[in-house]
Amino acid sequence: MSEDLQFTFALVLNGVSIGLMYSLIALGFVLVYKATDAINFAQGEFVMLSGLIVAVVLTVAGAPLIVAVVVVLAAMIGFSFGLERVVLRPLLGRPVVAVIMATIGLAAILRGLGPVVFGSETRAVSLPIGDEPIVLGPASLPPIQVVGAVAAVLLFIAFHWFFKKSRMGVAMRAVADNQQVAQAMGINVERYFALAWAMAGIVSAMGGIVWGSMLGVDVHLALVGLKVFPVVILGGLDSIGGALVGGLIIGVVESLAAGYLDPYVGGGTKDFAPYVLMILVLMVRPYGIFGKRKIERV
Amino acid sequence: MFHRESGVFKTTYAADMALYPLPIAKWTVAALAVIFVVIVPLTVHEYYLSILNLIFIAIVGALGLNILVGYTGQISLGHGAFMSVGAYTAANLAVKLDLPFWLTLPAGGLMAAAIGVVVGMPSLRIKGLYLAIATLAGQLIIEWTINRVPAISGGAQASIQVDRPSLFGFSFNTQGTLYFFLLFFAVLAIIGTLNLVRSRIGRAFVAVRDQDIAAEIIGIDIYRYKLMAFAISSFYAGVCGVLYTYYFGIANYEQFQLIVSIDYLAMIIIGGLGSVLGSILGAVFVTLLPIVIRILMENVGSLFFTTAEMANVISGLRLGVFGGLIIFFLIVEPEGLNRLWRNIRSYFRVWPFSY
């Protein structure tokens, strides 16, 4: 393999693993949007909150990893249930802009009070996986990226099974498809709204562990949430498979852009390229690759 | 504004749209003018004048955002970036070409309006959530561009020093003189918005917000009016950015990050969407809140936090309280402080009878 090709291969491999980690977070957004039509602008802050909880349980309380995982899952599920009940339910039936602003407000609360409650220093989440890079052909990956990618794939398989086979998953798809008909069929729609938020909480908890361990946990962890929008717009807002594919594309695009363009513009293309791609998608195909074409033309 | 009516006796649309609903309202405005032009600058301490100055700047920006979000019903998360466009345009013109403020200020506004129209273009095809994300992308891309292109940002630290504005050899270089400078533009923005929203354009905006399809059927070109709303709104934002630049004497992209867009959204939600008075109340409220929090924390917070933590705690609390207020007002009183004020007034309209 030539030098150039090896470089490209390394970039693509890195992009794929990062992209899968993006899909992991985007999944939380898609689950909520699909089931409840609510837009969660605080997805990144959810991840930050989970990261903070894990880091505090691990470092301050000195508990083993398994305890931290259980605690963060419980905390995030409880948090999401409460959130749905207190904030989102009163806003049902209000204009979509109201929900957007409410979640922006929520993001501000979490970002503001998170460091006040948990302390503002950067904490590490150390997973028992070592630092030795995993070598794949001519490229190598940090182990945390491999763990994150594998976790993402496993979660996607789990959710795929859940929606296709389990009774609850089928009911949830019915709610997503048409709330009134679902209600007429005897499905408790509000309960499934809460469930959707709880699932977003679970996904964010996983995201918090993986991303927190990769970047370190402080308030800046919430910035990964900004990557959610290009991913979900590209894949389609209400498509779980779309989150996976969108994440992969965004991951690869940003990795290639960073590898090839950064030397010319002085860095930062990573945060820029996904949004340019997203604007193009919005112009050409706003419902994304797999999204339903229900977007209203004006 | 502060007069008490005995009832609603309007019989024509013209009367309903008049700037002065009753003759006495002119006296209220005159009294306010005397208070703000004569009494306040003579009696108020310089520190409080500096707070008032910040409020005046915020009023300009909040009015602009309210024209877009409150009146036209389009959302924008990119207003911080529009401000930075105005700020850097004016700063570059002022430093490189040595132009006076009465040229750089409209130039900054027009540049922001042009960029705002480009960022607002997607609103022709998409709305709601998609528009929010598209303007968010606009914010991030503009931020990135300004930060990376030295020709715009002036190289080091991406900031440009600007001299204080001057007119006929008189320099506005103290809080006391800047007060008049900023008061003039805040009043201009208020009068401009009041007249805009009762004109044909303003009513077209409201029609687009309330039901865009119906608006199109009665002959409103919604594409044109949406873009116009983006242009006017970002013009205000650009002017607001220029005012910040002249006020601080420096244009710096850190003053105009995403968080600023959210601050301004908070202003108009807390103040009241689709109302001029609401924008003013929101601007006052949101500007005063961090100051109140800081004073509170300096007195009470030292019991819980060390001095080193204090700065972080204050900025965190400020953000958290903003978020809480946004959610509170959205759920409990979507029309904001303006609605509370109207409730008080309509209570006194028929007082002492309950209805």
Side-chain angles (χ1 to χ4, degrees), chain B residues 188-246:
Chain B
L188 204 64
I190 293 171
I191 296 173
T193 315
L194 277 175
N195 279 311
L196 176 77
V197 297
R198 65 194 195 113
S199 69
R200 184 188 165 78
I201 298 173
R203 282 173 293 142
F205 285 171
V206 174
V208 171
R209 172 193 72 189
D210 287 345
Q211 183 45 274
D212 48 1
I213 296 170
E216 194 160 25
I217 288 169
I218 59 171
I220 293 168
D221 183 349
I222 51 173
Y223 293 171
R224 208 176 117 220
Y225 280 101
K226 275 186 182 175
L227 282 190
M228 203 189 286
F230 262 99
I232 295 174
S233 174
S234 21
F235 181 85
Y236 273 77
V239 169
C240 174
V242 181
L243 292 177
Y244 270 121
T245 306
Y246 277 123

Side-chain angles (χ1 to χ4, degrees), chain B residues 53-54 57 87-88 90-92 94-95 101 153 158-166 171-175 178 181-182 240-253 255-256:
Chain B
N53 287 344
L54 285 175
I57 303 175
Y88 278 99
N92 276 314
V95 171
F101 78 86
S153 63
S159 59
I160 304 177
Q161 298 262 359
V162 183
D163 286 337
R164 290 292 156 83
S166 62
S171 175
F172 296 92
N173 52 8
T174 62
Q175 292 292 348
L178 275 170
F181 180 75
L182 297 171
C240 174
V242 181
L243 292 177
Y244 270 121
T245 306
Y246 277 123
Y247 178 69
F248 290 115
I250 193 168
N252 189 341
Y253 79 100
Q255 288 161 4
F256 306 110

Side-chain angles (χ1 to χ4, degrees), chain B residues 66-77:
Chain B
N66 218 339
I67 290 173
L68 185 68
V69 182
Y71 284 100
T72 321
Q74 309 296 307
I75 192 170
S76 165
L77 295 176

Side-chain angles (χ1 to χ4, degrees), chain A residues 2 10 29 33 38-39 56-57 72 80 108 131 133 153 204 227 248 285:
Chain A
S2 74
F29 183 97
Y33 183 78
I39 293 104
V56 166
V57 173
V72 75
S80 318
D131 295 328
V153 171
S204 311
K227 289 284 162 55
L248 284 174
R285 201 182 157 93

Side-chain angles (χ1 to χ4, degrees), chain A residues 33-109:
Chain A
Y33 183 78
K34 193 173 163 69
T36 74
D37 281 342
I39 293 104
N40 187 4
F41 263 72
Q43 187 64 36
E45 280 74 11
F46 275 37
V47 172
M48 179 200 77
L49 181 66
S50 329
L52 281 173
I53 295 173
V54 175
V56 166
V57 173
L58 279 180
T59 55
V60 178
L65 184 66
I66 184 74
V67 176
V69 172
V70 171
V71 168
V72 75
L73 279 175
M76 288 310 289
I77 291 173
F79 174 74
S80 318
F81 267 130
L83 179 73
E84 196 274 336
R85 180 58 61 93
V86 176
V87 176
L88 274 312
R89 202 169 285 187
L91 290 176
L92 276 184
R94 294 270 293 279
V96 63
V97 172
V99 180
I100 293 177
M101 295 201 206
T103 54
I104 289 176
L106 179 72
I109 296 182

Side-chain angles (χ1 to χ4, degrees), chain B residues 40-120:
Chain B
V40 169
L42 284 178
T43 54
V44 174
H45 186 267
E46 187 145 300
Y47 171 68
Y48 297 103
L49 276 186
S50 73
I51 296 174
L52 275 174
N53 287 344
L54 285 175
I55 290 177
F56 290 148
I57 303 175
I59 285 176
V60 177
L63 283 170
L65 189 58
N66 218 339
I67 290 173
L68 185 68
V69 182
Y71 284 100
T72 321
Q74 309 296 307
I75 192 170
S76 165
L77 295 176
H79 260 59
F82 299 155
M83 287 176 200
S84 68
V85 170
Y88 278 99
T89 309
N92 276 314
L93 289 177
V95 171
K96 289 183 185 154
L97 300 179
D98 207 20
L99 293 177
F101 78 86
W102 45 268
L103 283 177
T104 59
L105 196 107
L110 287 175
M111 188 59 140
I115 301 284
V117 168
V118 174
V119 175

